[in-house]
Amino acid sequence: MRLSIDVTLNYAIDGAADVLLLIEAAKGPDQRLLLQDLKVWSDTPLRAVPGEDGIGQRCWLHGEGSFHAEYRATVEILRQPRDLATLGNTPIRLMPPETIPYLLPSRYCESDRLEGFVEQEFGGLSAGPLACALVDWVAGHLTYASGASSGTTTALMTFAERRGVCRDYAHLLVALARAGGIPARCVSAYAPGVDPPDFHAVAELWIDGDWHLVDATRMASSVELARVAVGRDATDIAFMTVFGRATLNQQRVTVTRLP
């Protein structure tokens, strides 16, 4: 699977502000960058820093007034589909140390508040079978609704409201998985067929020795997701963080499958 990615960002920054940009597809064993070009109109040089867990990279820059960025890439996805239901259990005490932060509650994923629900609803399940049941539950109980949530909406709020956008689906699945003893992290990604076209958020679950991408909105399969960044929740994977104030003028994300 090869994807063509085309992104344009145009914002007006109120005064001047430092900006953290996170829109480049990440290199990795399951995806290869065949072509990549990032252009940012800025008075200061870009400074690249590693992303969470060493996946992808962020770029620091300084913006003043008009801020414009363009990103083009061709990504080859090398990932093979996996049947989560067949994946076995690893006792928490034997999990690698890098998974520990993804077992704990975070700002937008209050997994400790959902432990009782997971035990009551999915008691007896673990690892792959539990992951499948949680994905089915989130997909079946939430309604995708643009504008139904905001930047402050948490997994617990989505659990109560039963509607949201991709970020909310990812937060709730991650929180439920952590509540069930499965390390889970949020992932920003590019995917074809996302409606409306935009930066996409999915979950990644650590089961049976590896990370597995899951899109609870069911807009994209794991073999057509181009990973950008990972983190505990949306705080870590935001495509742009402005340390100041900014107004959106134009934002366009186009992802196309290539023959």
Side-chain angles (χ1 to χ4, degrees):
M1 169 71 70
R2 291 189 307 148
L3 301 176
S4 172
I5 299 165
D6 189 337
V7 178
T8 297
L9 301 177
N10 195 323
Y11 283 75
I13 296 178
D14 185 4
D18 288 326
V19 177
L20 190 58
L21 199 61
L22 186 53
I23 63 174
E24 297 172 270
K27 299 177 182 178
D30 60 352
Q31 61 187 49
R32 182 170 59 182
L33 297 180
L34 303 179
L35 173 69
Q36 180 167 242
D37 182 38
L38 173 64
K39 295 178 180 178
V40 179
W41 281 256
S42 171
D43 293 334
T44 59
L46 300 183
R47 184 170 71 89
V49 295
E52 292 289 324
D53 295 347
I55 295 175
Q57 69 174 16
R58 299 180 171 100
C59 287
W60 279 108
L61 56 109
H62 185 76
E64 186 169 354
S66 176
F67 170 78
H68 186 79
E70 294 179 357
Y71 176 66
R72 311 284 182 269
T74 301
V75 182
E76 183 179 16
I77 309 299
L78 307 173
R79 198 175 304 116
Q80 297 298 315
R82 295 291 303 273
D83 181 2
L84 294 184
T86 65
L87 300 179
N89 187 45
T90 301
I92 290 178
R93 68 183 185 279
L94 300 180
M95 290 179 181
E98 61 268 21
T99 65
I100 293 174
Y102 301 113
L103 281 166
L104 305 176
S106 61
R107 177 181 177 184
Y108 293 107
C109 299
E110 314 100 318
S111 52
D112 53 329
R113 303 283 300 276
L114 291 166
E115 290 174 358
F117 170 76
V118 172
E119 176 61 31
Q120 180 180 2
E121 191 77 12
F122 306 101
L125 296 179
S126 63
L130 174 59
C132 288
L134 294 176
V135 173
D136 288 344
W137 191 94
V138 173
H141 286 78
L142 296 192
T143 298
Y144 193 96
S146 297
S149 60
S150 70
T152 60
T153 301
T154 69
L156 201 61
M157 294 164 69
T158 300
F159 180 77
E161 294 291 332
R162 303 292 170 94
R163 58 180 184 162
V165 295
C166 61
R167 159 192 161 125
D168 305 306
Y169 279 71
H171 277 162
L172 184 53
L173 177 56
V174 163
L176 291 171
R178 292 177 188 171
I182 298 175
R185 61 192 185 188
C186 289
V187 178
S188 59
Y190 294 111
V194 173
D195 185 23
D198 205 346
F199 298 101
H200 199 41
V202 298
E204 197 165 29
L205 312 182
W206 192 93
I207 312 170
D208 206 6
D210 205 358
W211 289 101
H212 304 275
L213 286 167
V214 181
D215 183 5
T217 70
R218 292 184 169 160
M219 290 186 190
S221 69
S222 63
V223 298
E224 56 183 6
L225 289 167
R227 187 189 294 104
V228 175
V230 305
R232 295 160 298 171
D233 51 39
T235 305
D236 296 331
I237 64 171
F239 72 90
M240 189 170 79
T241 303
V242 180
F243 292 82
R245 298 174 61 87
T247 303
L248 170 65
N249 291 328
Q250 180 192 22
Q251 178 174 303
R252 178 174 53 83
V253 178
T254 304
V255 182
T256 308
R257 299 180 184 89
L258 295 176

